[in-house]
Amino acid sequence: MKKLLKRKVIIPVLLCAVFLTTSAFKNDFFEIAKQIEIFTMLFKEINMNYVDDTNPGELMDTAIKSMLADLDPYTNFMNEQDVEAARINNTGDYTGIGAKVKTLKDKLLIIEPYKDYPADKAGLKAGDEIIKVGNTSILDYKDDAGNLLKGTAGSQVEVTFNRQGKTQTTTIKRAEVEIKAVPHFSMINNNTGYIVLSSFSRKAHSETNYALRDLKAQGAKRIILDLRGNPGGLVNEAIKIVNLFVPKGQLVVTTKSKVKKYNRTYYTQNDPIDTEIPLVILIDGKSASASEIVSGSLQDLDRAVIVGSRSFGKGLVQRPKELTYGTQIKITISRYYTPSGRCIQALDYWHRNENGEAVRVKQENYNEFKTKNGRKVFDGGGVFPDVLIGSYKTSPITSAIVNNDLVFNYATNYYYKHKINDINSLKLNDTDFKDFKNYLKTNNFTFETDTEKALRKAFEIAKKEELNDNINTDYNTLISNLNKSKSTVIDENKDYLLNKLTEEIVKQYAYREGLYDYYKIHDNDIKKATEILGNLSTYSGYLN
């Protein structure tokens, strides 16, 4: 009886201790418990008493996503499929057919087969439309059809696909697929090495380390590290990559949170590979998170010249927390700061505008910081390059063209219509652009702008109020003029669209590996980086 009494006393004491020492509940425990109780009762009553049948899973999914939408876009609930996708992203390994595949309603679209992997060996090419896997029609499959291509290494699957209007079949033997963090490294000239780092998976440091050592062995006396389009990943990998170029014991990044245990100061832990080799880092508007830790810290330490366009501006750190039934939540737990003390977060998710949209930190509100050599750098807007090369300005219309696969589909058709012996000589011209615009018309590309939506809504209200008689002609004239303006916007974005078309076409002929070889000849950022590294006084001038 005494033992039982002891247990009854100990359990409440332990529970109290847990609540008292959990900093997140420190002040709000009663309010949190109250709101959970209200929500539980509400959820139960709806599912038991609503007039029609409800789907508890879908209701809860909507509730969770709506709640998280008020925070920031990086705090996300992850179901079991999301957790597996995150694992693949972090490790770079999975079992499958070795291709980038887009799941559509009635087909699986091959976006990019990886060279020498199963899909490629089976003869699949970009643009192929898989309509059946085994005996299962994609159109009739209700779950994620992409899962049909997964399976154990060595297992086989027959797929039926359409290519340029013809139906074919092939058998794919699944295998272990390794997605490289460093998909390419090579010499640009006798003295300059080029490394592409596309993600910060668990292999990022080891592969960058290997590439750097290999290039130095080939005679590289200067290095270009390409972080363009790299969305980030694991912070520890970023720190170890910085460590390749700076001494042991150097401060790289600091994180600050309302929860004290998440406050961290990260220093380099190992001996570097080379602290003297001239280094240029390429960034663009899609270089984010860990890419900004590498570029921002090496800029602060005056260890690299940054070339390109302003980075994305993500100064937030996330951590996954395990939930039940194999799910997780990825929570923004802190902000990070580069060695100079700046946080490069560009969007303010906590002070939104009247439409509930996150606002960009205004330039007049940037704070000034100093690099190791006393150069001025600023917070609040991503990493600013030391050498700015104008980036393409896109519009919602051009984004819609790309997102609707029209660039990709045009490139696929181009591949089957043109025989090119030397893909590195490809240069699209005005005739190609005119042909692309005709392709948009032929494929009935339509995009309704926010202006058109507002006008249509106003006109519908006018009709309800029977006020449309006198404005009908003016409305049609406005819509006609807007369509002309949309065509003008496409023309104004010619360079951007031709660049996207070129990239897709080169990949169709020479895989992604061929695209990097094409960049080394034609890319303006790489040309500028090579020029800077070719003159040590120019290079040093940027850092002093």
Side-chain angles (χ1 to χ4, degrees):
M1 184 69 181
K2 284 183 179 178
K3 285 184 179 178
L4 185 61
L5 186 60
K6 272 187 179 179
R7 288 176 63 190
K8 286 182 177 178
V9 171
I10 289 170
I11 289 171
V13 170
L14 285 174
L15 286 174
C16 286
V18 169
F19 291 139
L20 289 172
T21 57
T22 303
S23 55
F25 287 161
K26 198 175 291 180
N27 300 317
D28 299 326
F29 174 67
F30 174 75
E31 186 64 22
I32 291 170
K34 171 185 169 183
Q35 297 303 327
I36 288 174
E37 186 177 355
I38 292 170
F39 179 80
T40 302
M41 291 184 68
L42 178 147
F43 189 67
K44 175 184 171 184
E45 292 297 332
I46 287 176
N47 282 287
M48 288 178 65
N49 299 310
Y50 188 70
V51 63
D52 291 324
D53 289 338
T54 58
N55 185 318
E58 288 183 1
L59 281 176
M60 183 59 75
D61 193 59
T62 301
I64 291 172
K65 288 177 180 176
S66 297
M67 175 176 66
L68 298 183
D70 277 345
L71 301 177
D72 64 70
Y74 312 112
T75 297
N76 296 318
F77 171 71
M78 302 166 70
N79 60 31
E80 292 171 276
Q81 291 76 25
D82 296 330
V83 172
E84 174 62 12
R87 184 199 66 77
I88 292 171
N89 190 51
N90 286 337
T91 62
D93 294 329
Y94 71 99
T95 302
I97 68 168
K100 185 178 179 182
V101 180
K102 184 173 185 177
T103 303
L104 301 173
K105 183 179 180 181
D106 58 346
K107 60 195 172 189
L108 296 171
L109 180 65
I110 301 293
I111 298 295
E112 181 183 350
Y114 303 142
K115 188 176 181 180
D116 296 329
Y117 277 108
D120 183 37
K121 290 179 178 178
L124 287 178
K125 296 185 177 296
D128 288 348
E129 302 170 349
I130 297 175
I131 56 174
K132 187 186 289 186
V133 179
N135 295 318
T136 304
S137 168
I138 303 302
L139 180 62
D140 299 330
Y141 195 72
K142 301 305 179 187
D143 296 322
D144 184 356
N147 292 328
L148 295 170
L149 299 175
K150 297 177 182 178
T152 58
S155 62
Q156 293 186 339
V157 60
E158 184 180 77
V159 298
T160 304
F161 63 95
N162 289 328
R163 176 186 294 171
Q164 298 290 292
K166 295 180 181 179
T167 302
Q168 304 178 45
T169 61
T170 189
T171 299
I172 308 173
K173 187 176 182 180
R174 300 182 182 96
E176 293 287 339
V177 178
E178 178 187 7
I179 302 173
K180 290 185 174 295
V182 176
H184 179 91
F185 68 91
S186 63
M187 297 293 288
I188 288 180
N189 55 39
N190 291 335
N191 298 308
T192 309
Y194 174 58
I195 302 172
V196 178
L197 178 59
S198 61
S199 69
F200 285 85
S201 67
R202 290 194 180 97
K203 299 175 181 177
H205 166 256
S206 62
E207 290 183 12
T208 307
N209 185 339
Y210 178 84
L212 178 59
R213 290 178 183 274
D214 189 283
L215 291 172
K216 282 171 63 70
Q218 292 184 50
K221 295 179 175 59
R222 37 197 181 245
I223 294 292
I224 298 171
L225 178 61
D226 195 342
L227 297 179
R228 291 176 298 175
N230 186 325
L234 302 175
V235 172
N236 286 329
E237 293 296 307
I239 293 159
K240 288 191 284 187
I241 288 169
V242 171
N243 197 174
L244 296 173
F245 303 101
V246 302
K248 182 178 181 179
Q250 172 63 55
L251 173 65
V252 176
V253 68
T254 303
T255 62
K256 297 178 183 179
S257 169
K258 75 172 185 179
V259 181
K260 287 185 178 180
K261 70 176 181 178
Y262 296 142
N263 293 342
R264 299 282 178 85
T265 305
Y266 295 91
Y267 293 87
T268 52
Q269 301 292 318
N270 304 305
D271 292 325
I273 301 300
D274 194 326
T275 61
E276 300 294 332
I277 191 168
L279 175 65
V280 167
I281 296 178
L282 304 181
I283 62 171
D284 64 9
K286 293 183 179 179
S287 304
S289 189
S291 290
E292 294 172 301
I293 290 176
V294 171
S295 55
S297 62
L298 290 173
Q299 184 181 52
D300 283 0
L301 299 171
D302 296 303
R303 181 60 190 87
V305 174
I306 313 300
V307 172
S309 53
R310 184 173 70 173
S311 67
F312 182 82
K314 180 176 180 287
L316 306 174
V317 179
Q318 286 72 43
R319 173 171 291 192
K321 294 283 188 179
E322 290 188 5
L323 304 175
T324 56
Y325 300 104
T327 62
Q328 291 183 2
I329 183 169
K330 189 174 69 171
I331 309 177
T332 297
I333 60 167
S334 56
R335 293 178 176 86
Y336 71 78
Y337 300 81
T338 61
S340 67
R342 56 181 170 148
C343 179
I344 50 79
Q345 177 64 27
L347 290 174
D348 186 349
Y349 297 104
W350 299 274
H351 301 91
R352 299 175 182 244
N353 63 21
E354 59 274 11
N355 297 320
E357 300 165 333
V359 293
R360 183 172 284 277
V361 178
K362 293 181 179 178
Q363 192 164 344
E364 57 264 30
N365 294 329
Y366 292 167
N367 297 300
E368 181 183 308
F369 297 83
K370 294 290 179 67
T371 69
K372 188 176 180 181
N373 290 340
R375 295 186 298 140
K376 294 179 182 179
V377 289
F378 300 89
D379 65 0
V383 175
F384 287 84
D386 302 307
V387 182
L388 182 65
I389 296 180
S391 59
Y392 294 112
K393 289 185 178 180
T394 60
S395 71
I397 294 173
T398 51
S399 295
I401 290 171
V402 173
N403 294 337
N404 285 299
D405 295 325
L406 290 161
V407 167
F408 173 79
N409 292 336
Y410 180 87
T412 300
N413 291 339
Y414 188 99
Y415 171 77
Y416 287 105
K417 290 179 180 177
H418 298 79
K419 183 177 180 180
I420 300 178
N421 294 322
D422 179 15
I423 192 62
N424 287 330
S425 66
L426 176 69
K427 189 168 179 62
L428 299 181
N429 53 33
D430 290 345
T431 302
D432 295 306
F433 187 64
K434 184 178 180 181
D435 187 53
F436 176 65
K437 289 199 296 180
N438 289 333
Y439 175 82
L440 295 179
K441 291 178 183 176
T442 303
N443 285 270
N444 300 316
F445 169 68
T446 57
F447 177 77
E448 188 177 37
T449 64
D450 288 341
T451 304
E452 286 173 295
K453 291 175 185 176
L455 282 172
R456 179 166 50 80
K457 186 176 180 180
F459 188 67
E460 286 172 356
I461 293 172
K463 283 198 290 185
K464 287 180 182 178
E465 295 177 346
E466 298 181 356
L467 299 172
N468 60 304
D469 289 347
N470 294 325
I471 63 173
N472 193 60
T473 301
D474 292 334
Y475 172 76
N476 290 330
T477 301
L478 279 170
I479 294 298
S480 176
N481 289 336
L482 276 171
N483 285 327
K484 291 177 184 176
S485 295
K486 285 193 287 187
S487 179
T488 301
V489 167
I490 291 174
D491 288 334
E492 289 172 349
N493 284 269
K494 181 178 81 170
D495 290 344
Y496 168 75
L497 289 168
L498 283 178
N499 183 65
K500 299 300 290 184
L501 286 166
T502 300
E503 288 181 353
E504 287 295 341
I505 290 169
V506 171
K507 282 192 295 181
Q508 297 263 358
Y509 284 91
Y511 302 91
R512 183 164 293 274
E513 289 83 351
L515 179 60
Y516 296 124
D517 287 327
Y518 185 89
Y519 283 159
K520 289 196 301 181
I521 299 170
H522 299 282
D523 185 79
N524 290 329
D525 292 30
I526 293 176
K527 287 179 181 178
K528 186 63 178 179
T530 306
E531 177 190 321
I532 292 168
L533 289 169
N535 188 321
L536 289 180
S537 62
T538 300
Y539 173 81
S540 299
Y542 285 114
L543 300 178
N544 293 305

